[in-house]
Amino acid sequence: MGQITLQQVRKAFGDVEVIPPLDLNINDGEFVVFVGPSGCGKSTLLRLIAGLEDVSGGMISIDGNDATALPPAKRGLAMVFQSYALYPHMTVRKNIAFPMRMAGMDQAEQDRRIEGAAKALNLTDYLDRRPGQLSGGQRQRVAIGRAIVREPSAFLFDEPLSNLDAALRHGMRLEIAELHKRLDTTMIYVTHDQIEAMTLADKIVVLQAGVIEQVGSPMELYNSPRNVFVAGFIGSPKMNLLTGTEASNRGAHTVGIRPEHIDVSATEGTWKGTVGVAEHLGSDTFFHVHVEGMQEPMTIRASGDLTMSHGDTIYLTPDEQRFHKFDNAGLRVE
């Protein structure tokens, strides 16, 4: 079991309230990602669930039991941090076994759990090596293995891939997703990277200044952002947001259109502009276009075969059915 419920949970440091009262329900077996800009409170919220920070109000329940005042060791949760925090003088086997030895578990059960975790994480061939002989991705897998052997009701990940390069991040992202499918255990994952959030999550919790802006599946947030903040945060490249005449002509205070929902032509279109920066990624090219009458450049996703470059004239035609509309309070208008 791994159902976690937060009821009017808040956190303040002195007179500064960093997390106003919030409610959140995390179902058993879900992969939930907390995402938001730096300083939005996502790591603090995770630490409240883990018991590493005391709540200033409200209740946290785990599997129906009040865990608000329980110490971390009594909550049945396992946490994986950004720092691997491995013991350099110990082998992989001993690093993974450490929490079980501290709990006084018998050797046969330790061996069973170590072998199971090593198999799940492709670490069997590395059990007798020390951390200094491993790559960054392998060290992070050891840290995850140390959490797995505790057989927790939920795993808590606090930006576990931030120390890895791009290739390792992608590989570890896939491994964590596959691990979740195999273990079928609740996982809560904190990241500022919305690509990680979109690719990993069953459910995304978008935070800003400690406030939950929206909760939903990745595609719910992508297709129906609740407000301007979520619209601009979810999606890569981010949504183009327009005000003024372009918005009022479409019956809104602000309208948004995603880069992939704008057609490009060299001869005609709704908007005329000039290509600024062109980011060629192979299959796609992202054009940053200075459109006549608009203050901010627009970002366009086009085929990688399109060969326009800096200074070229370009015509853009948005798909009118794909506009997202928001009122003057920044809330979505259906």
Side-chain angles (χ1 to χ4, degrees), residues 230-308:
V230 177
F233 191 82
I234 296 295
S236 181
K238 69 179 184 178
M239 184 185 290
N240 297 292
L241 295 170
L242 311 174
T243 55
T245 303
E246 294 296 339
S248 59
N249 286 346
R250 294 173 174 85
H253 181 271
T254 304
V255 294
I257 186 77
R258 294 202 180 277
E260 56 268 36
H261 297 152
I262 302 174
D263 291 331
V264 176
S265 170
T267 56
E268 59 182 1
T270 304
W271 300 319
K272 180 181 179 182
T274 304
V275 175
V277 176
E279 299 177 283
H280 299 283
L281 303 180
S283 60
D284 296 317
T285 298
F286 299 147
F287 292 105
H288 300 273
V289 180
H290 300 278
V291 178
E292 294 179 357
M294 295 185 191
Q295 293 183 338
E296 297 292 329
M298 295 194 69
T299 303
I300 315 300
R301 183 197 294 264
S303 168
D305 298 331
L306 196 62
T307 56
M308 303 184 96

Side-chain angles (χ1 to χ4, degrees), residues 7 23 29 43 56 114 120 131 165 220 255 285 313 328:
Q7 296 175 291
D23 297 310
S43 289
S56 302
I114 291 169
D165 62 36
E220 285 173 347
V255 294
T285 298
T313 298
N328 57 5

Side-chain angles (χ1 to χ4, degrees), residues 205-220:
V205 179
V206 182
L207 290 151
Q208 180 185 209
V211 175
I212 295 178
E213 296 288 351
Q214 189 170 356
V215 179
S217 71
M219 294 313 297
E220 285 173 347

